[in-house]
Amino acid sequence: AERELLEAVSRITTSSNTSPSDEEEHQPKAEISCQVRKENPEKDDMQDSSATLSPNSSMTTKELQEYWRNEKRQCKQIKLLFEIPSARIVEQRLSKYVMYKIIILQTGSFDSNKSVIERRYSDFEKLHRNLLEEFSEEMEDVTFPKKTLTGNFTEEIINERKLAFKDYLRLLYSMKYIRRSKKFIDFLTRPELQEAYGCLRGGQYTKALEILLEVIGLQERLTRGNPASIVPTLCAIVVCHKDLENPASAFEYGEKALSRLRVHTSHRYYMPLLETMITLAYELGKDFLSLQEKLEEWKTKKDPMRVFTLKELAVREYVQ
């Protein structure tokens, strides 16, 4: 695929009438097919609707090369392992339940790449019920730990469920349609994201940022073939850094978000993100003209409409 790309770039460059001195200023444009490369043996692990280019997208040679480099990285499936090493009993005024500690590890990685979350039996039960509705055939032979009338808080039952839930998550992750499903990803990330956005809406930016930075790594690994899906989280991190007066960090995460929207300029976050990035670039003394050009280009292609600011979009996420 890389060889085909280089040949295509070579043909485009050769056919251009610009002189070498004009090349950087007038880079050739190329129409990119939205077809996923057939020879990629791991193509089934990509999100078809989000990981491909729009048939109308026009990119410079440099942008084309960068896009395919990123695409090649995205094609590689991240393999995750699930461990449930411990559990704790939570006693509240009107309820008592067990919280299971889930550690999610990337194979071949160090501890810095692990994610730690907690879920209770009812969370697993809800996930199972939701998956049965959408994937009844795939879930046909998947067993789920049954409830017991007594003994739910004994060490024996808790240890049995720790092992059962570990095997359950591993089995679900082994099925490509389930591991890519919103319901499975939400089970692993949504509670933390809801908490983070609640803190953001309450002006607790430091706490919100702490949670968002914890969950973004897991989101990236779970949505490897759908890079645009984590843009809202990246933008929330931008908002937090900006309000905490960390413009350099805000700009860094803003660049990450923009890179994921390169071929998704119709995304609802695209224009608000560009506006924020222009402000940050000006504040940091960086080049903002290219960002301004993209914004003006976007405005000429889109009908006038009500557009929220980046912060307004962020506070609307995960509102019940």
Side-chain angles (χ1 to χ4, degrees):
E2 280 188 356
R3 185 160 53 251
E4 290 177 6
L5 169 62
L6 291 174
E7 289 173 359
V9 171
S10 177
R11 288 196 296 272
I12 295 167
T13 307
T14 303
S15 63
S16 173
N17 292 325
T18 57
S19 63
S21 60
D22 292 331
E23 249 178 31
E24 290 184 4
E25 203 170 327
H26 305 286
Q27 292 203 33
K29 302 275 183 175
E31 294 298 325
I32 311 302
S33 168
C34 64
Q35 182 177 359
V36 177
R37 290 159 290 167
K38 292 182 179 179
E39 65 271 23
N40 185 347
E42 294 173 332
K43 65 183 175 61
D44 285 336
D45 288 308
M46 297 174 63
Q47 288 284 7
D48 296 335
S49 62
S50 302
T52 55
L53 281 166
S54 163
N56 297 321
S57 65
S58 183
M59 302 168 70
T60 65
T61 302
K62 184 178 179 182
E63 289 174 332
L64 172 61
Q65 291 171 327
E66 179 63 24
Y67 176 82
W68 282 118
R69 275 196 294 268
N70 290 334
E71 193 70 6
K72 185 178 179 181
R73 287 194 291 268
Q74 296 293 345
C75 288
K76 296 179 181 178
Q77 181 196 341
I78 295 293
K79 297 186 182 299
L80 300 179
L81 297 176
F82 297 87
E83 299 291 342
I84 304 182
S86 61
R88 63 187 178 93
I89 298 174
V90 178
E91 294 191 58
Q92 296 181 337
R93 190 173 182 179
L94 299 175
S95 64
K96 182 179 179 181
Y97 54 88
V98 179
M99 292 291 286
Y100 296 89
K101 181 180 181 179
I102 306 169
I103 298 179
I104 305 160
L105 293 161
Q106 182 177 323
T107 55
S109 67
F110 296 103
D111 286 346
S112 59
N113 289 324
K114 73 180 180 182
S115 298
V116 181
I117 59 176
E118 284 189 316
R119 298 293 183 267
R120 54 189 290 187
Y121 181 94
S122 59
D123 296 324
F124 280 97
E125 190 177 38
K126 181 180 178 181
L127 169 66
H128 190 71
R129 188 168 56 249
N130 289 339
L131 291 177
L132 282 173
E133 292 175 359
E134 187 174 351
F135 304 101
S136 56
E137 187 175 339
E138 290 86 346
M139 298 287 291
E140 189 175 13
D141 297 323
V142 178
T143 58
F144 186 80
K146 294 182 179 180
K147 279 185 176 180
T148 58
L149 295 177
T150 60
N152 285 307
F153 304 104
T154 64
E155 185 177 351
E156 181 182 2
I157 292 296
I158 291 174
N159 285 334
E160 284 179 4
R161 287 185 175 171
K162 278 163 47 180
L163 293 172
F165 285 143
K166 180 178 74 172
D167 291 339
Y168 177 73
L169 289 175
R170 287 180 172 180
L171 181 57
L172 293 182
Y173 185 75
S174 71
M175 295 183 275
K176 64 182 179 183
Y177 295 112
I178 290 180
R179 72 167 170 261
R180 298 189 314 190
S181 70
K182 185 177 184 301
K183 291 175 180 177
F184 182 68
I185 294 170
D186 277 354
F187 168 79
L188 296 171
T189 61
R190 189 178 180 90
E192 286 72 24
L193 287 172
Q194 285 178 321
E195 182 183 0
Y197 279 97
C199 292
L200 193 156
R201 284 189 289 274
Q204 301 176 50
Y205 301 115
T206 300
K207 180 63 175 177
L209 183 59
E210 179 185 333
I211 301 170
L212 290 168
L213 291 175
E214 284 285 332
V215 77
I216 189 66
L218 178 57
Q219 267 192 307
E220 286 178 327
R221 296 194 290 274
L222 289 168
T223 60
R224 189 74 171 178
N226 185 9
S229 65
I230 65 168
V231 166
T233 306
L234 288 170
C235 289
I237 292 174
V238 172
V239 169
C240 289
H241 274 306
K242 191 171 182 296
D243 279 30
L244 290 169
E245 299 184 356
N246 300 324
S249 296
F251 191 84
E252 176 189 346
Y253 280 92
E255 285 187 314
K256 291 181 181 180
L258 274 181
S259 71
R260 287 159 171 79
L261 295 180
R262 185 173 290 127
V263 293
H264 302 284
T265 56
S266 61
H267 197 284
R268 61 197 172 97
Y269 271 86
Y270 184 70
M271 183 179 175
L273 179 58
L274 275 178
E275 291 178 330
T276 299
M277 289 295 284
I278 291 169
T279 301
L280 289 169
Y282 182 80
E283 183 179 349
L284 293 167
K286 294 179 179 287
D287 172 35
F288 61 88
L289 294 180
S290 59
L291 295 168
Q292 188 69 50
E293 288 172 2
K294 289 180 180 179
L295 181 61
E296 294 303 322
E297 180 184 357
W298 186 92
K299 287 181 177 179
T300 60
K301 292 180 180 179
K302 300 293 180 180
D303 295 330
M305 61 180 194
R306 163 71 168 144
V307 178
F308 293 110
T309 66
L310 197 67
K311 188 172 183 178
E312 286 173 339
L313 277 179
V315 298
R316 282 168 169 75
E317 294 285 346
Y318 294 96
V319 175
Q320 297 296 332

